[in-house]
Amino acid sequence: MQHEFACKHQWLLKASFALCLLCIVSVLALSSGSRHDYDDIIESGVLKIVTRNSPTTYYQDKDQISGFEYELASMFADFLGVKLDVTVADNLDDLIAEVETGNVAFAAAGLTVTPERAERVLFSSSYLNVTQKLVYRISQKRPKDLSALINKTMVVTAHSSHAQYLHDLQQNTMPELTWIEREDAEVSELVQMVENGEIDFTIVDSNEFEALAGFYPNVAGALDLGDAQELAWAFSQYTDNSLVNKSREFFQLIRETGLLSQLEERYYGHLRQIDNVGTLTFLAQADKRLHKYQELFEQEAITNDVDWRLLAAIGYQESHWKELARSRTGVRGLMMLTRTTAKEMGVKNRLNAEQSIKGGSAYFAKLKRRFKNIAEPDRTWIALAAYNVGYGHVKDAQLLTKEHGGNPDRWMDIKESLPLLTQKKFYKKTKHGYARGYEPVEYVQNIRRFYDLLVWREQPDPTYTVVDANDESFFTADSGYRNIPPLVVTH
Ligand code: GLU
């Protein structure tokens, strides 16, 4: 009897404790959350949001902040006439918690609207529809249905809609299904693991897949999992709805004016392929287009004390020597300058070839000066990587190289560290965060190849044949050619 009473008593105690806790949390949330109502934001002049550091949300690109979510939130801040203040959460659960506790006005992080999340936060209207894609390595058999997932290694991000999908699947139809959830990884790393053959499958949203696929040629989407889903911003439930109502107005406006489709097109409209144009194409283009710009490259080479063929090789890698080139992230012109770089180098019109070559060459020379303690040729390759991915990220990669026992002044070592900047466990500790670290490696390799080809092209009486890289005789000293490996990059 006494025991029963004690149990009941304990139960009562526990219940009242839980109730108190709930009250405290609600009051806290209510009091801090109210700071993010529309009037408070206008009064403070600051819109505070939380996001994730990933290629589809928010990241440092060359010398500017990029990301679909970041740009969308910036547009909203402009619409409200206030400043945007961005914080980054480590994982999806922390992100939702930031919203719940009222630390931020909302989360803009490529969040899928799920019934489970809708119990914790208030979603805005949706701005993008996505499907979940099962990603596999193309050298493996293409999975045709869900049974292919059994007894395979599948990894997804922890607390994601993808993990939720698998939980539901396991509970409802496939109790034997297993998978791993990673707290410390984001989708690009998981896609990389599939590419490398470390795991069999991962799941990513279709927009993420579009942004990533160009960088991982050995993976493809096998199946769409489940129905289409909506991405939306997540607001706290403890607000007066004034801000979420404003966001509805904003989404309606950007839909009607076409601004939203423009943003989608820029980020997800086309797969971005790494430029891997072959030797013959390069030489054909050199014959056709280079003469138009050669003098400009030569002039700038003298001004900046750089080999003109290197500048020309940058120009080709950047734009294929097209002065009107544009990319989806807003870089423009023959040397593909960002707006910030153009301003810094005094370029008024980025689409003017002369200005672009002048600005680009001077910018490259400036980057080289910033690495003045490094011996050639590494200094050139490292400055080139900075031209592509931004000085800050290269500095981060140098620090990582040092930490891993490599030589931070050697391109061969930095080249191993740069791709680590796509992995959360590494970029988390860096100053500039996530970077598409594979890109500068590919970029430098291409430029070196183009440079070698231009040097080769100037040899007396060159023969424009495709070289069989396995043909040793081609590289012997008495063949009359420099030791140029046109088809294979050996560095
Ligand atoms: N849309 C996914 C979600 O809301 C993103 C997950 C991820 O990229 O890891 O969970």
Side-chain angles (χ1 to χ4, degrees), residues 45 78-79 98 111 127 150 181 260 272 306 309 346 349 369-370 417 419 423 425:
D78 287 348
F79 172 79
E98 281 288 283
L111 287 177
Y127 49 82
I150 303 296
E181 293 181 26
L260 182 59
R272 186 149 172 225
V306 187
R309 292 161 304 193
N349 179 3
R369 283 196 295 277
R370 294 182 84 173
S417 300
Q423 293 180 34
K425 72 170 186 278

Side-chain angles (χ1 to χ4, degrees), residues 55-57 67-69 110 128 206-211 231 262-271 328:
T56 52
T57 50
F68 180 84
E69 290 288 346
L128 199 67
S206 46
N207 64 320
E208 297 173 320
F209 185 72
E210 279 173 34
L231 300 189
Q262 269 173 32
L263 195 64
E264 271 173 41
E265 153 66 27
R266 263 181 44 219
Y267 277 92
Y268 307 124
H270 32 257
L271 297 190
R328 65 174 174 86

Side-chain angles (χ1 to χ4, degrees), residues 52 92 109-112 117 157 159-162 187 205 208 231:
R52 296 180 287 142
L92 286 157
L111 287 177
T112 303
R117 283 179 180 158
T157 37
H159 318 289
S160 63
S161 52
H162 316 138
V187 285
D205 288 335
E208 297 173 320
L231 300 189

Side-chain angles (χ1 to χ4, degrees), residues 130-187:
V130 298
T131 49
Q132 305 190 71
K133 290 200 170 291
L134 179 71
V135 176
Y136 80 112
R137 196 166 61 261
I138 48 179
S139 58
Q140 302 300 104
K141 203 164 146 233
R142 183 190 180 122
K144 294 214 168 46
D145 53 44
L146 295 174
S147 66
L149 305 182
I150 303 296
N151 292 332
K152 290 279 158 65
T153 320
M154 174 159 54
V155 185
V156 297
T157 37
H159 318 289
S160 63
S161 52
H162 316 138
Q164 185 65 49
Y165 171 81
L166 294 173
H167 279 292
D168 292 347
L169 199 63
Q170 187 189 51
Q171 210 162 23
N172 299 330
T173 47
M174 296 178 73
E176 70 277 42
L177 189 67
T178 57
W179 68 93
I180 297 165
E181 293 181 26
R182 286 277 300 266
E183 191 93 44
D184 60 338
E186 58 98 13
V187 285

Side-chain angles (χ1 to χ4, degrees), residues 420-452:
L420 302 181
L421 296 177
T422 59
Q423 293 180 34
K424 197 188 256 176
K425 72 170 186 278
F426 295 110
Y427 72 65
K428 221 166 101 177
K429 290 185 233 129
T430 63
K431 191 162 165 207
H432 302 273
Y434 173 88
R436 290 190 302 230
Y438 290 96
E439 213 185 332
V441 177
E442 179 93 18
Y443 179 89
V444 174
Q445 284 179 339
N446 284 352
I447 289 179
R448 292 173 74 161
R449 187 173 66 173
F450 298 143
Y451 172 74
D452 282 347

Side-chain angles (χ1 to χ4, degrees), residues 205-233:
D205 288 335
S206 46
N207 64 320
E208 297 173 320
F209 185 72
E210 279 173 34
L212 291 169
F215 298 101
Y216 303 102
N218 295 313
V219 302
L223 294 173
D224 280 352
L225 303 174
D227 298 329
Q229 293 177 312
E230 297 184 326
L231 300 189
W233 288 345

